[in-house]
Amino acid sequence: MRSLIDSRKLAGLILKNALDAKEQHRKLELVQRWLSLDNNVKGQIKAFLLKTLASPVPDARSTASQVIAKIAGIELPQRQWPELIGSLLSNIHQLPVHVKQATLETLGYLCEEVSPDVVEQDHVNKILTAVVQGMNASEGNNDVRLAATRALYNALGFAQANFSNDMERDYIMRVVCESTLSPEVKIRQASFECLVSISSTYYEKLAPYIQDIFNITAKAVREDEEPVALQAIEFWSSICDEEIDILEEYGGDFTGDSEIPCFYFIKQALPALVPMLLETLLKQEEDQDQDEGAWNIAMAGGTCLGLVARTVGDDIVQLVMPFIEENITKPDWRQREAATYAFGSILEGPSPDKLTPLVNVALNFMLTALTKDPNNHVKDTTAWTLGRIFEFLHGSTVDTPIITQANCQQIVTVLLQSMKDVANVAEKACGALYFLAQGYEEVSPSSPLTPYFQEIVQALLTVTHREDAGESRLRTAAYETLNEVVRCSTDETAPMVLQLVPVIMMELHNTLEGQKLSSDEREKQGELQGLLCGCLQVIIQKLGSSEPTKYVFMQYADQIMGLFLRVFACRSATVHEEAMLAIGALAYATGPDFAKYMPEFYKYLEMGLQNFEEYQVCAVTVGVVGDICRALEDKTLPYCDGIMTQLLKDLSSNQLHRSVKPPIFSSFGDIALAIGENFEKYLMYAMPMLQSAAELSAQTADADDEMTEYTNSLRNGILEAYSGILQGFKNSPKTQLLIPYAPHILQFLDSMYMEKDMDDVVMKTAIGVLGDLADTLGSNAGSLIQQSLSSKDFLNECLSSDDHMIKESAEWAKLAISRAISTTEVTGLQVVTNSCISTVSLGSRFCHGEVGGGRIEDVGGGSKYKSVNTESLAVCCSLKWLTSSCQTNQTALVIGSEVP
């Protein structure tokens, strides 16, 4: 019997996997394959699946539910299987009960798979009615209630119209709140999950229910089982997220055109909410610091407290400080740890003015606790809290420094000592040192950390060799901190950074020595190689940024490149992301000298560009193409055919993750800038790609935040391509090749301006492209820009921008446009005079010398042509902004005459 059930389950999973896949390209293939199947075959499969919902075997019913939903996800958008929802709804009133349970489960999966806009509102109403009735306390079967509650969670996105109706919304909210009191723990948990989803989806509808929800969540947090309590806390974290977003977007001003005002639920709940959250901090687990994925009530409560602090700012401090003062010195470790956690949690949000006096008092106490407290939990949280202090209250933006000459040495000493502690405490100490170094990033010429630089570096290297460095992310934290210490160091410590180069090179060399490794060891080796390549990248950037250190560093360049190539070689089919990034830094530092590495490196560059599976590697490799172009300029030319071929393949592929496409477009601009007019051979391939992508990016109506962000990224990549191509062709005889593309570029700029959804980055790039167009194509662009629907308005908007970078780009563009509009490009000038002295003033870049009976003279940056007693004279040169004057009125100036 068991084997038969397993076979049925396996058959269902095979069918499900034949309909869906994680990779987008594979998913599209499977969808097309299903749609092309014979309708009779499809009909049989669907009939069997619906019949299986009545099976007495739970696994068979559950698998059928999922497969039905997958098919619905394919067919409903195609207006196929219109009878499905009706069939499912008719099952709701069927007996036995398990049919009802399986049907509700199917409706839940269906709502997860299908977009709300493909389901008619009448069907939505009926689905919601069935689901909410299934949740009702009057429903005697817990399996049905659980299936209905989980189905509602997936159906909430469909309920926009229902939540806008007061009666329907009241009914749904009442049933959800009643379900949070169910005797069954899974139903209570699922009900709170629904409340969390409602808090983000329908925040603006919550006001009438918020007091009741507080009472329900407070009871669950204090009395219920952990899975339920965690969801109850998550409700308030979700409300914080909503209010933080609203306050950041609108800056607290809701009198304007804000669609969603802030209801300040957190501020109103503060006196009751904060004590509830503080209680949770005392519910720690004994081993929570050792388990990297640990999540419990204390952690959830502290995370929520941190979000509350970000939401309400200074108001939280007075509510939390009494708890800290009461518990920080108690003999029970739980109380000391909870007090420390509470303090660390509220450091982001309140103003430095409010927090600095408290931190100045607490800092010495915490440094002592980090070394002397007998409990590792307390030390772990203390080190984390110190990191938060340095992250939010230390640095050039803070008026009153909390770190002084008097306490700097003590802080460094304590952190270095704590890096010898157990792994989880040492990892948090590394983190604190990371933010301590980061706070001195903009300090020069000398940093307070300079006297301790060598000692810090040595301590961090020692940590990386600890036997337990693999625990608690310790080795990773040590290298990340080492990188930050190097990155934020000053010129004074450059000689010590140089000494670090052979040390890290030797570490990397040791990972490449050919011992036989198990797959687990190979994975750890790969991680270590990544950390070491990352470290070398930071060192290269640091030393390469100033001429004296760059000169000395270059003695290592060949060896370093050799190591990176060996890292690639030992990974066979894949390319190491960190090594690729480091090579980008090396190319930037070495400049044209990088050309000598290209013959051997090119195959790995190509391999990275072909790596569709690890798309982050592909994206990094595309970035390195830009670094190489900037370093080698026209020396990139021998490799451009291969690179462009692969980039064009990448763009055409539906296997490649969409996030890689914007940087590919941007790299077209890098290549064009590097090789100039030699980009001519790629125009016929690159420009249509850019045009179709530009048209796609203009279709953004009703896009969600994620899609809008991607669209802006795509537009920026396209614009950077246009900018690089225009600049690359500037002053080239082949400039006219770009003229046919100018109208489309302007149309793209117009459409973006009309959409009014550009972010600042896109706006700066877009106004730059308008300037590049005018600058490169001159009068050929000038007349088009004058005809453009919105160029003038766009330019004026950018000129009055608060962002100085946008304004600066706009001022340059204005100058380029005014030159283009007032310019007439001609291949000849014919001046017809009648025995008079005529003077023609010519603008920039003209010929000089004698022509016929007249003379071209350089005068004040322009040129003047004087003709004496000449009936007619042709001057064959390219002329701009012309003025003429004559002592008689008998001069005719003919511009644009064809002159042989």
Side-chain angles (χ1 to χ4, degrees), residues 295-507:
W295 188 247
N296 56 40
I297 290 176
M299 291 173 161
T303 301
C304 187
L305 191 67
L307 289 166
V308 171
R310 285 179 58 198
T311 310
V312 302
D314 289 357
D315 292 352
I316 198 169
V317 176
Q318 64 197 27
L319 293 168
V320 174
M321 285 314 295
F323 176 85
I324 295 169
E325 288 160 0
E326 184 188 341
N327 290 286
I328 197 76
T329 56
K330 285 284 171 72
D332 183 350
W333 75 265
R334 290 180 181 277
Q335 290 172 286
R336 297 196 307 280
E337 195 274 340
T340 311
Y341 190 20
F343 191 57
S345 296
I346 63 165
L347 290 170
E348 184 185 8
S351 63
D353 289 347
K354 188 80 173 175
L355 291 172
T356 301
L358 301 172
V359 168
N360 281 330
V361 172
L363 193 57
N364 204 44
F365 179 89
M366 296 220 164
L367 291 168
T368 304
L370 187 52
T371 51
K372 297 196 173 159
D373 197 286
N375 185 275
N376 280 338
H377 292 293
V378 178
K379 287 197 279 189
D380 181 289
T381 305
T382 303
W384 172 79
T385 301
L386 283 167
R388 302 262 297 173
I389 289 171
F390 302 150
E391 183 178 3
F392 299 116
L393 296 166
H394 157 60
S396 57
T397 55
V398 181
D399 295 335
T400 313
I402 54 164
I403 299 170
T404 61
Q405 280 188 317
N407 64 15
C408 187
Q409 183 173 4
Q410 183 196 3
I411 290 168
V412 172
T413 303
V414 167
L415 291 179
L416 297 189
Q417 187 178 333
S418 298
M419 279 155 52
K420 298 172 185 170
D421 212 318
V422 292
N424 57 291
V425 175
E427 186 256 330
K428 303 292 192 309
C430 287
L433 186 56
Y434 177 100
F435 289 114
L436 180 68
Q438 194 176 74
Y440 291 122
E441 182 177 1
E442 292 172 21
V443 177
S444 62
S446 184
S447 160
L449 290 185
T450 298
Y452 317 108
F453 184 85
Q454 191 132 17
E455 191 183 353
I456 290 169
V457 168
Q458 192 52 57
L460 288 164
L461 289 171
T462 302
V463 169
T464 66
H465 291 123
R466 280 175 51 157
E467 281 185 24
D468 59 354
E471 296 172 22
S472 296
R473 283 189 76 256
L474 178 55
R475 181 179 285 113
T476 302
Y479 276 116
E480 285 173 353
T481 305
L482 178 61
N483 294 350
E484 198 63 8
V485 168
V486 169
R487 198 177 66 78
C488 299
S489 63
T490 61
D491 290 345
E492 281 185 277
T493 50
M496 286 179 267
V497 176
L498 266 168
Q499 289 171 20
L500 197 51
V501 177
V503 175
I504 303 297
M505 282 169 58
M506 181 53 70
E507 297 274 345

Side-chain angles (χ1 to χ4, degrees), residues 735-799:
T735 305
Q736 74 274 9
L737 294 172
L738 301 181
I739 294 170
Y741 304 109
H744 184 275
I745 295 173
L746 276 168
Q747 189 187 334
F748 179 42
L749 295 173
D750 277 342
S751 69
M752 283 193 297
Y753 179 70
M754 300 296 190
E755 285 278 341
K756 298 291 182 197
D757 60 354
M758 276 187 282
D759 62 21
D760 286 353
V761 175
V762 173
M763 190 175 269
K764 179 187 172 296
T765 319
I767 198 64
V769 168
L770 191 63
D772 289 329
L773 203 60
D775 192 40
T776 298
L777 298 183
S779 62
N780 292 306
S783 54
L784 289 170
I785 291 169
Q786 283 179 302
Q787 294 161 27
S788 158
L789 295 171
S790 57
S791 288
K792 189 176 179 184
D793 292 343
F794 181 36
L795 182 63
N796 288 336
E797 189 175 311
C798 292
L799 286 167

